[in-house]
Amino acid sequence: MAHFYKHYYRFLFDDYRLSDNRLCSRIHDHYKRKGSFAIKKHVRSTDVVIDLGCGGGWTLLPYHKAGFEYYGFDYDETYIEFGKQHYNLNLFVGGVEKALKMNLKANYVSLNHVLEHTNDPVTFLTSLKPILKKNAIINISVPSLDFIWTGGGGSSTTLMGTLQLAHTVLFDSFTLNYTAKKAGFDVIHNFGGNIMITPSKSSNNTIEISKNRGKKVLNKLLLLEKSAPIRNWLIPTPLKQKAHYINYLFSLGKALQKFKLIKFGL
């Protein structure tokens, strides 16, 4: 997997016609427009931050400027060098194995559009435990089946537009929850393509799967494909970039899950 992301991923999925600097600068501007240049409210000034799959360290810039102890890891050497040369960021070529060799322990780990690229998400999440401090938080964002209704969040408004060669899994809220629990984590917050988890204090992390879940998912996918032309016509492109807000409007119960963060002092 490391070989693929080091040598081929950027050529296949980024605009390889651009020079390295222009490409990295464009991605940097994209994250700036998304409002990703902000320190998460649940991260304390004394916390150690690790970003796996950090690219050029775009979302680590606020932590760098605020004086945090942080580490970014990515297999793409071009992105890593860009972040180090242009922003003097603390970045390293590699992934979890590199963090382990460095004997790092983090309070906060970011996986921004990373988990869907792993061959075995459960095994991957389990492999993170040695780099976690007590009560550490992992913040995971993925393209989600839940967001195909409106697009955005890394998802298209169609199934075929959302699927990608490099994505081994297409999650929804249920499968994200299932993956986290099976890997031995408690779920703090879970909505659409975002889930926050912490190492479980219980040995019982079983989760029931309804017998007809497969049929329900298939019917949902069929409905999504049939309704795609209408949804594409109704939903303007700028609104698709705020898809998670639209989903909150249609799911008040899910929105209220955010109040769970209060219990954790987040």
Side-chain angles (χ1 to χ4, degrees):
M1 187 173 73
H3 181 79
F4 173 76
Y5 287 99
K6 182 177 181 180
H7 298 286
Y8 300 110
Y9 181 77
R10 186 160 55 92
F11 179 83
L12 290 170
F13 296 102
D14 289 333
D15 194 341
Y16 63 87
R17 295 167 297 181
L18 298 176
S19 66
D20 291 339
N21 281 351
R22 285 186 62 199
L23 176 61
C24 291
S25 295
R26 192 174 73 173
I27 298 175
H28 176 276
D29 291 339
H30 168 72
Y31 275 90
K32 190 173 184 180
R33 289 195 303 272
K34 284 178 62 178
S36 299
F37 289 176
I39 295 172
K40 300 296 183 182
K41 294 180 180 179
H42 44 269
V43 181
R44 298 163 297 186
S45 59
T46 55
D47 284 349
V48 177
V49 176
I50 290 180
D51 189 349
L52 296 170
C54 69
W58 334 108
T59 60
L60 287 171
L61 276 169
Y63 299 95
H64 172 74
K65 293 177 180 178
F68 277 78
E69 181 181 352
Y70 70 91
Y71 305 85
F73 298 89
D74 200 282
Y75 290 114
D76 193 306
E77 294 180 5
T78 300
Y79 286 160
I80 293 295
E81 287 305 311
F82 181 87
K84 291 168 70 172
Q85 292 179 12
H86 287 74
Y87 304 108
N88 197 31
L89 296 175
N90 193 34
L91 308 181
F92 303 87
V93 176
V96 183
E97 71 289 342
K98 180 69 173 180
L100 286 169
K101 288 180 180 179
M102 295 171 63
N103 296 316
L104 298 178
K105 292 279 188 179
N107 304 93
Y108 175 73
V109 175
S110 173
L111 299 174
N112 185 29
H113 287 248
V114 170
L115 192 62
E116 71 273 19
H117 292 266
T118 61
N119 294 328
D120 184 342
V122 172
T123 300
F124 176 77
L125 287 180
T126 303
S127 74
L128 300 182
K129 291 183 179 180
I131 66 170
L132 301 177
K133 291 187 178 183
K134 185 179 180 180
N135 299 323
I137 292 173
I138 304 177
N139 192 9
I140 302 169
S141 295
V142 297
S144 174
L145 178 62
D146 297 337
F147 284 171
I148 295 180
W149 289 107
T150 51
S155 302
S156 170
T157 51
T158 66
L159 176 62
M160 293 307 296
T162 300
L163 296 175
Q164 187 191 109
L165 173 66
H167 293 177
T168 61
V169 181
L170 177 57
F171 291 97
D172 62 5
S173 293
F174 178 86
T175 50
L176 265 179
N177 187 65
Y178 177 86
T179 300
K181 287 184 173 294
K182 193 170 183 181
F185 289 88
D186 289 331
V187 176
I188 302 172
H189 165 71
N190 177 21
F191 182 74
N194 177 250
I195 187 169
M196 290 176 59
I197 61 178
T198 189
S200 178
K201 296 178 176 64
S202 170
S203 58
N204 182 16
N205 288 297
T206 57
I207 181 170
E208 293 185 4
I209 303 176
S210 62
K211 293 181 179 179
N212 61 345
R213 172 167 164 77
K215 185 177 180 180
K216 286 183 178 179
V217 172
L218 177 60
N219 289 336
K220 183 176 182 178
L221 292 174
L222 292 173
L223 178 60
L224 283 169
E225 291 303 289
K226 290 179 181 178
S227 63
I230 298 175
R231 288 182 287 110
N232 281 329
W233 179 72
L234 287 175
I235 305 171
T237 300
L239 199 57
K240 292 175 185 175
Q241 302 307 314
K242 301 295 182 183
H244 49 294
Y245 292 121
I246 300 174
N247 281 273
Y248 277 127
L249 290 175
F250 286 99
S251 183
L252 181 60
K254 289 287 187 180
L256 292 175
Q257 284 188 3
K258 280 213 164 186
F259 287 104
K260 282 186 178 182
L261 302 180
I262 299 173
K263 296 181 182 179
F264 290 81
L266 305 178

